[in-house]
């Protein structure tokens, strides 16, 4: 065989081997891409995203779209060819698998965690919107979860309202841990609670709960502490009672990043006029009960999704601004927001046409 032919044959076989390796050898990466975006003022799957009863609502115009990111599943293994293609594709992002699924987290665990975060974000969005409107919201500290095999199992239950610990009134979830850890492991701590069933019945009947119980629990030592920290095995959270019914209907979405847009949609429906002035505004950001906007992941994918849907403005958490501003989709203005009040102020400028006054994102902010 002539040397030239042999060289070409060897090169071809090597190329085929490399291609096969690229297709069949998995790499530890996952892919993010722009996901669906939904108008919180409109409908999804045939029903309104935001449903309010027991309170007057007003017609809305324009868009206040929440945005999402698609990610490959925890079990899916990208190959080298897919990873390289993803790195080269402008509208996709390839990241280490552990970034999306840390500590070997399964698909089911990630889905459950996202569902819990989504549920909590809805509650905080309701609270933030009503506080911005000066509508009173009742809040209290509850047992969020009880860890199996700990002293609290069988004594406290998820949904129990924690009124006091050792006779000291509880006002914030953090108060519970602070009061428990004043004890040494093996000492008793007394919880004053309203049982979850009594609380649920009182809410349904629109009355003040009348039944309280005192539960004594012997503390144990935390497994993750070298300081012999006392625990009972619960996590505390916050629950609320609203003066009217608010439902957020949006399936197949997880995580906390839609909080800001839900709160703005609720504010718009509960006030006359239009927050957007008919403009197409999208955005993202977590929100807490006090209206503070927090950062999210996948900001670059969300701005692309918003642009592709037709958005003109994108409400961007302040802590995401520098990243988002590095590659702004054509025709999209990134607006920096740190609180719900910032967002409301920006929307006022947008609907009035005073867009020169908008606090825009820069690579330094």
């Amino acid at each position: 065989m002539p040397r030239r032919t042999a060289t070409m044959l060897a090169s071809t076989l090597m190329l085929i081997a490399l291609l096969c390796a690229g297709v069949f050898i998995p790499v530890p990466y996952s892919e993010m891409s722009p996901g669906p975006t939904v108008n919180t003022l409109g409908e999804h799957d045939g029903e309104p995203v935001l449903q309010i009863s027991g309170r007057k609502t007003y017609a809305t115009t324009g868009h206040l779209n929440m945005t999402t990111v698609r990610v490959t599943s925890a079990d899916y293994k990208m190959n080298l060819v897919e990873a390289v293609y993803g790195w080269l594709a402008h509208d996709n992002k390839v990241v280490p698998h552990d970034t999306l699924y840390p500590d070997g987290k399964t698909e089911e665990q990630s889905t459950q965690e996202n569902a819990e975060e989504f549920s909590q974000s809805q509650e905080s969005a309701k609270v933030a919107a009503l506080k911005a409107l000066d509508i009173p919201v009742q809040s209290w500290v509850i047992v969020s979860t009880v860890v199996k095999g700990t002293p609290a199992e069988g004594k406290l239950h998820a949904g129990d309202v924690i009124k006091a610990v050792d006779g000291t009134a509880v006002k914030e979830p953090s108060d519970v841990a602070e009061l428990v850890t004043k004890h040494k492991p093996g000492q008793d701590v007394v919880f004053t609670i309203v049982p979850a069933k009594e609380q649920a019945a009182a809410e349904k009947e629109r009355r003040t709960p009348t039944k309280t119980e005192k539960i004594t629990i012997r503390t144990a030592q935390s497994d993750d502490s070298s300081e012999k920290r006392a625990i009972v095995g619960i996590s505390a959270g916050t629950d609320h009672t609203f003066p009217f019914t608010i439902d957020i209907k949006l399936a197949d979405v997880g995580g906390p990043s839609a909080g800001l847009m839900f709160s703005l949609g609720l504010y718009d429906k509960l006030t006359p006029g239009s927050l957007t002035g008919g403009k197409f505004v999208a955005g993202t950001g977590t929100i807490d009960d006090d209206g503070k906007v927090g950062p999210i992941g996948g900001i670059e994918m969300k701005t692309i999704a918003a642009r592709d849907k037709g958005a003109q403005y994108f409400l961007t958490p302040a802590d995401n601004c520098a990243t988002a501003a590095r590659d702004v989709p054509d025709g999209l203005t990134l607006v920096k927001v740190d609180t719900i009040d910032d967002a409301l102020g920006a929307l006022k400028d947008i609907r009035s046409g005073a867009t020169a006054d908008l606090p825009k994102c820069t690579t330094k902010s």
Side-chain angles (χ1 to χ4, degrees):
M1 181 183 297
R3 180 177 298 179
R4 182 176 179 182
T5 302
T7 302
M8 291 180 62
L9 179 59
S11 299
T12 301
L13 292 174
M14 185 175 293
L15 178 60
I16 292 172
L18 289 172
L19 288 173
C20 288
V23 170
F24 293 109
I25 296 177
V27 291
Y29 292 95
S30 296
E31 187 175 58
M32 304 169 65
S33 59
T37 171
V38 178
N39 186 10
T40 61
L41 302 176
E43 294 187 349
H44 182 67
D45 290 340
E47 62 179 345
V49 174
L50 304 177
Q51 302 180 12
I52 301 170
S53 58
R55 179 88 175 193
K56 183 177 181 180
T57 58
Y58 300 86
T60 60
T61 61
H63 288 71
L64 286 170
N65 279 45
M66 53 81 67
T67 50
T68 65
V69 174
R70 285 194 180 96
V71 298
T72 50
S73 71
D75 298 329
Y76 183 75
K77 304 296 184 182
M78 295 185 73
N79 60 51
L80 184 59
V81 172
E82 291 173 321
V84 171
Y85 180 82
W87 277 316
L88 296 175
H90 181 262
D91 287 359
N92 295 347
K93 185 176 183 180
V94 174
V95 297
H97 185 273
D98 289 346
T99 301
L100 300 177
Y101 304 101
D103 302 322
K105 189 180 296 180
T106 66
E107 184 86 14
E108 292 75 16
Q109 290 171 328
S110 181
T111 299
Q112 177 62 30
E113 183 178 293
N114 284 337
E116 291 172 358
E117 290 178 339
F118 185 62
S119 178
Q120 181 57 53
S121 76
Q122 294 180 47
E123 289 299 295
S124 294
K126 297 173 189 178
V127 175
L130 268 56
K131 281 187 175 181
L133 291 165
D134 293 324
I135 298 174
V137 177
Q138 289 184 315
S139 303
W140 53 86
V141 177
I142 63 165
V143 177
S144 291
T145 57
V146 179
V147 180
K148 290 189 68 174
T150 61
E153 184 180 11
K155 294 188 174 183
L156 297 178
H157 303 87
D160 288 345
V161 177
I162 305 173
K163 304 292 289 184
V165 176
D166 292 327
T168 301
V170 169
K171 297 181 180 179
E172 301 289 339
S174 58
D175 294 343
V176 179
E178 183 179 335
L179 291 166
V180 169
T181 54
K182 287 183 176 181
H183 292 267
K184 294 180 179 179
Q187 292 182 332
D188 288 343
V189 59
V190 180
F191 285 79
T192 303
I193 68 163
V194 176
K197 289 184 179 179
E198 166 65 11
Q199 180 64 33
E203 289 183 44
K204 185 176 181 180
E205 297 164 12
R206 300 279 182 177
R207 61 173 174 81
T208 301
T210 56
K211 180 182 178 182
T212 61
E213 296 179 1
K214 288 190 175 182
I215 308 293
T216 300
I217 301 174
R218 180 153 295 179
T219 60
Q221 182 177 326
S222 171
D223 292 335
D224 61 358
S225 173
S226 59
E227 302 175 359
K228 297 184 179 180
R229 179 169 58 89
I231 63 164
V232 295
I234 66 168
S235 61
T238 306
D239 202 358
H240 310 91
T241 293
F242 301 101
F244 47 90
T245 302
I246 304 173
D247 288 320
I248 298 177
K249 302 289 188 181
L250 194 59
D252 302 323
V253 175
S257 64
L260 171 63
M261 302 313 292
F262 285 146
S263 64
L264 294 173
L266 290 169
Y267 189 103
D268 201 356
K269 284 180 171 286
L270 290 167
T271 53
S274 169
L275 276 185
T276 67
K279 302 293 195 304
F280 195 136
V281 180
T284 189
T286 67
I287 200 162
D288 66 16
D289 291 359
D290 295 321
K292 173 71 175 177
V293 176
I296 52 79
I299 186 67
E300 307 99 319
M301 303 297 100
K302 293 183 176 183
T303 57
I304 292 170
R307 176 210 60 190
D308 290 348
K309 195 73 172 182
Q312 302 158 282
Y313 303 93
F314 192 90
L315 303 180
T316 311
D319 289 342
N320 288 126
C321 262
T323 300
R326 290 179 196 142
D327 190 10
V328 185
D330 292 339
L332 190 67
T333 298
L334 304 186
V335 183
K336 179 180 178 180
V337 296
D338 199 43
T339 66
I340 188 174
D341 288 337
D342 290 345
L344 292 170
L347 289 168
K348 180 179 179 181
D349 290 339
I350 289 170
R351 67 176 177 268
S352 68
T355 54
D357 298 329
L358 288 172
K360 299 180 178 68
C361 289
T362 69
T363 54
K364 296 181 180 180
S365 64

